[in-house]
Amino acid sequence: MLNTLRGSISGWTAKILLALLVVSFAAWGIGDVFRGDTATTVLTAGKTEVSLEDYALAYNRAQARLAQQIGRRPTTEESQLFGIDQGVLSQLVAGAMLDEQGRRIGLGLSEERLARLIADDPSFQDASGNFSRNAFQAVLSNARIRERDYIRSQEDAAIRSQIVEAISQGGNTPVTFETALGLYNGERRTVDYISMSPSTVPPVADASDDVLKVYFEENKAKYAAPEYRSLAYATLTPEVLSDPATITDEQVKADYEQSKERYTTPERRQVQQIVFADKAAADTAKAKLDGGASFEEVAKEAGRTVEDTDLGLVSKSEIPDAKISDAAFSLGEGAISDVVAGAFGPAILRVSKIQPVGVSPLDEVSDEIRKALALVAANDTAASAYNAFEDARAGGASFAEAAKAAGIAAETVPAVDSQGNGPDGAPVPELPAAEELLAGAFETEPGFDNVPINFESNSYVFYDVVSIDPARDRTFDEARDRVLADWKNDETQRLLSERANILKAELESGKSMDEVATEAGLSKQTAASITRQSGAAVLGQVGVAAAYSGGDGTIATARGRESGSQVVLKVTEIAPPADPAANVAAEERQQLKGIFENDLLQSYVTLLQNDTPLSVSPAAIENAKAIVR
């Protein structure tokens, strides 16, 4: 429900702070700062206070991130187990420290800039990309966030980012770090190996039911049926409510006239340009052109081909050099310019083709305009449809009746588990906001009136749990086919492992890979000069890990790249990279830079914490958690 809003509020700055401060506070400890305080202020850092609402918002976001990982909303105990309490407190302490520092040094944000930050958030925009007051209010209302609290949090985040960017950016990663990573990435190994598929061991015959029943009992939990729930849901989106037939021809025409530039193609010109080293060379070339030389001849004398001179079929705005664009768009078709003082040197231009301004006629774009206007209108009526559904439910209407009152269709899912799969094990298709819908559906009970799920700004999913089939153990007869297949696969892998270990023992006794392969009736293969990255395509990830598990001469067995296969391998050569730095990718350098910048920021926050009085109220924290619940 809150994913969209969380994404807009919490940028990379908040994520960095959360990650680094969980570590830093684990080292410092914060127990000594707890003391009695007002139950309406969670903590104070100097003169900066953190309210109950601030804590509730941060706690709600942290729980939502954990819910994405585990597939459902965490319990209070799970939240504590995963360190949400400590993480949220650490995050808020860091934010308060930065807020206090911003207050001390007089940082601020203009109202105009703050308004632009909020208006630019896609979460609050309509189908046309414009800020929608309805969408803004709907998202905040669904997240239970007051408008003033959200605006304040955005202002605080923007001020903090000024401090964070000033402190953390510009540092250089120590060369030792990049060298170590380059040595790790660039080390190459040559590996001889024998690959064995399941077909290299005798086929496993079907086991008796007695054997299978023992296997079933040992792995009973594997075959248990999960809890299934039958759901009814109805999706309220602007697209669902949109009805182009309600848009009149007059409205279409008026929008066309008002936004005609949207359907206008600017004039484009095929422009060629010869840039010269100096004005003297350009003047000489111009004189030759005036004397009858062709543009192609002059270009060739200047060391250019015709392709080199071509800027393409471009509009005036697509030519970044204003002097060049002005000159090009003042020429007639086929005309050659005088010498132009371009940004990259004196130049001569030729316009070989002019494509005039084009305007798409109304008939061609009327359907597009009608659909867009209907979508805008639907955004404005979404709140009415939402209220119609809620009012109908409050009046005792059934789920289907409430959906009809809102003008949306109710759908039914006969059975789905918490992972979105049906009884056949296949995913249930086309569930809207599937992750949030399933999380909500598996937290409620039949007969409850559930809070709708908000997604994609002004869109909602209403849902109702119709019935619950509890989790249960399947009987042997229900699971027999799957038990037999699993038992045969396990037996095949056992036989394959035994054979791989026999071959490994022969290698360890001194036999060569060629001898072992020949005696086994298999083929020796060689993976030459593989790295940890490239080797996965040959040996698989597990095979690469085995090949890099020891030094030269390492002998090992591992799961192969192909499903169900195994490899027996021996490392025959190790070669370090000649240039470690060349083996560090640009994105890895960026990651290292980010880690280094985080370290700088952590040191700065530590300094602030040492110099700023801090107090935390346990009672206020409990009050804030009550808001979340």
Side-chain angles (χ1 to χ4, degrees):
M1 183 186 302
L2 297 179
N3 284 350
T4 305
L5 186 57
R6 290 187 209 99
S8 66
I9 296 176
S10 56
W12 66 269
T13 302
K15 293 177 182 176
I16 289 174
L17 290 174
L18 177 59
L20 68 90
L21 281 161
V22 167
V23 175
S24 63
F25 273 94
W28 306 336
I30 57 175
D32 59 329
V33 302
F34 281 94
R35 65 171 186 260
D37 200 351
T38 174
T40 59
T41 301
V42 171
L43 64 90
T44 60
K47 296 182 179 180
T48 297
E49 296 183 347
V50 175
S51 68
L52 302 182
E53 290 77 11
D54 292 329
Y55 187 96
L57 178 59
Y59 196 90
N60 215 346
R61 292 180 199 156
Q63 280 197 319
R65 286 192 294 269
L66 180 56
Q68 290 180 347
Q69 298 173 21
I70 66 176
R72 55 179 171 76
R73 189 172 181 83
T75 65
T76 301
E77 293 73 18
E78 287 172 332
S79 295
Q80 293 175 347
L81 179 65
F82 282 94
I84 286 183
D85 297 63
Q86 181 69 39
V88 168
L89 181 58
S90 299
Q91 178 188 359
L92 292 174
V93 168
M97 291 293 171
L98 293 173
D99 290 345
E100 176 66 7
Q101 181 67 356
R103 184 193 65 78
R104 288 172 179 168
I105 61 180
L107 289 180
L109 191 71
S110 69
E111 290 185 0
E112 180 181 354
R113 175 58 180 159
L114 180 59
R116 177 48 49 197
L117 284 174
I118 296 173
D120 286 344
D121 190 329
S123 307
F124 308 136
Q125 293 174 355
D126 58 25
S128 301
N130 299 316
F131 176 76
S132 168
R133 181 72 182 176
N134 287 340
F136 178 70
Q137 291 177 329
V139 172
L140 295 191
S141 175
N142 190 65
R144 299 179 184 178
I145 300 173
R146 291 181 299 183
E147 183 176 321
R148 69 169 184 267
D149 292 334
Y150 173 74
I151 293 174
R152 181 173 54 80
S153 72
Q154 284 293 81
E155 182 178 15
D156 291 343
I159 292 174
R160 292 171 195 168
S161 69
Q162 296 178 50
I163 301 175
V164 170
E165 290 173 6
I167 295 299
S168 63
Q169 292 186 357
N172 295 317
T173 306
V175 175
T176 303
F177 289 3
E178 290 191 1
T179 301
L181 182 57
L183 288 170
Y184 180 86
N185 288 344
E187 181 184 305
R188 296 182 177 273
R189 295 192 172 201
T190 296
V191 180
D192 288 341
Y193 67 97
I194 299 171
S195 179
M196 297 185 297
S197 68
S199 63
T200 60
V201 297
V204 176
D206 289 357
S208 67
D209 279 3
D210 289 340
V211 173
L212 293 179
K213 285 178 180 178
V214 171
Y215 182 87
F216 173 73
E217 290 298 331
E218 290 174 348
N219 299 278
K220 201 167 187 177
K222 180 179 179 181
Y223 304 105
E227 177 183 302
Y228 289 103
R229 297 193 170 202
S230 176
L231 310 179
Y233 69 88
T235 308
L236 170 59
T237 68
E239 290 77 12
V240 168
L241 299 174
S242 175
D243 184 4
T246 63
I247 305 300
T248 65
D249 291 341
E250 288 75 17
Q251 288 174 295
V252 171
K253 184 176 181 180
D255 185 79
Y256 176 78
E257 295 296 337
Q258 183 178 355
S259 308
K260 209 164 190 176
E261 69 280 356
R262 194 185 310 164
Y263 310 105
T264 300
T265 302
E267 177 184 319
R268 294 180 180 275
R269 296 186 169 208
Q270 192 79 36
V271 180
Q272 295 168 292
Q273 170 187 257
I274 307 173
V275 180
F276 297 91
D278 52 47
K279 191 172 186 306
D283 289 339
T284 300
K286 176 59 177 171
K288 291 180 179 180
L289 289 166
D290 292 342
S294 70
F295 191 84
E296 288 76 12
E297 290 172 342
V298 172
K300 186 175 181 181
E301 287 182 11
R304 310 281 194 277
T305 65
V306 174
E307 291 74 18
D308 293 336
T309 68
D310 193 9
L311 299 182
L313 187 64
V314 294
S315 65
K316 187 173 183 180
S317 63
E318 291 175 321
I319 302 176
D321 188 332
K323 291 183 178 179
I324 296 295
S325 65
D326 288 343
F329 277 77
S330 65
L331 297 172
E333 186 169 342
I336 295 175
S337 72
D338 292 330
V339 176
V340 181
F344 298 100
I348 296 176
L349 312 174
R350 180 173 71 175
V351 174
S352 57
K353 177 182 178 182
I354 296 178
Q355 187 180 83
V357 173
V359 181
S360 300
L362 176 59
D363 289 345
E364 287 184 8
V365 296
S366 60
D367 287 345
E368 175 188 339
I369 295 173
R370 196 179 302 276
K371 290 178 182 178
L373 290 176
L375 199 57
V376 171
N379 266 290
D380 294 336
T381 59
S384 297
Y386 182 103
N387 291 333
F389 185 97
E390 292 289 280
D391 291 344
R393 287 292 273 168
S398 67
F399 188 87
E401 291 169 340
K404 185 177 181 180
I408 53 180
E411 306 287 344
T412 300
V413 179
V416 63
D417 67 17
S418 62
Q419 303 305 308
N421 300 317
D424 60 355
V428 174
E430 300 179 2
L431 283 178
E435 188 173 310
E436 294 85 353
L437 174 58
L438 291 169
F442 276 80
E443 285 182 357
T444 188
E445 298 292 333
F448 280 31
D449 190 10
N450 305 299
V451 176
I453 294 165
N454 176 220
F455 69 103
E456 295 180 0
S457 184
N458 203 19
S459 299
Y460 297 87
V461 178
F462 300 93
Y463 65 97
D464 185 43
V465 175
V466 178
S467 63
I468 299 176
D469 291 329
R472 64 179 180 86
D473 288 333
R474 288 190 174 98
T475 65
F476 171 75
D477 289 338
E478 288 179 292
R480 187 184 185 285
D481 290 345
R482 184 178 164 197
V483 171
L484 175 59
D486 289 348
W487 180 86
K488 291 179 72 172
N489 181 68
D490 286 357
E491 277 296 293
T492 300
Q493 290 302 308
R494 182 183 64 81
L495 294 174
L496 204 57
S497 294
E498 287 180 355
R499 190 173 189 200
N501 287 328
I502 290 172
L503 300 185
K504 176 175 178 281
E506 292 177 357
L507 288 171
E508 291 172 338
S509 69
K511 287 186 178 181
S512 69
M513 185 69 77
D514 289 302
E515 291 174 321
V516 171
T518 300
E519 292 173 3
L522 300 169
S523 299
K524 182 197 86 169
Q525 297 173 273
T526 300
S529 297
I530 61 170
T531 64
R532 287 177 169 86
Q533 291 75 36
S534 66
V538 182
L539 299 175
Q541 292 288 0
V542 179
V544 169
Y548 276 84
S549 63
D552 195 4
T554 294
I555 298 171
T557 64
R559 188 171 71 247
R561 182 173 66 89
E562 302 297 334
S563 177
S565 68
Q566 294 201 27
V567 294
V568 182
L569 60 84
K570 181 177 181 178
V571 178
T572 60
E573 183 182 3
I574 298 177
D579 180 10
N583 291 279
V584 182
E587 57 269 22
E588 290 178 318
R589 294 182 190 277
Q590 190 61 36
Q591 288 174 356
L592 285 175
K593 185 173 183 292
I595 292 171
F596 184 63
E597 290 174 349
N598 289 353
D599 287 343
L600 291 176
L601 179 59
Q602 180 176 354
S603 298
Y604 182 72
V605 174
T606 301
L607 178 64
L608 294 180
Q609 196 271 344
N610 290 336
D611 293 341
T612 305
L614 172 68
S615 65
V616 177
S617 170
I621 289 176
E622 292 305 313
N623 290 342
K625 287 182 181 179
I627 297 176
V628 175
R629 301 188 190 114

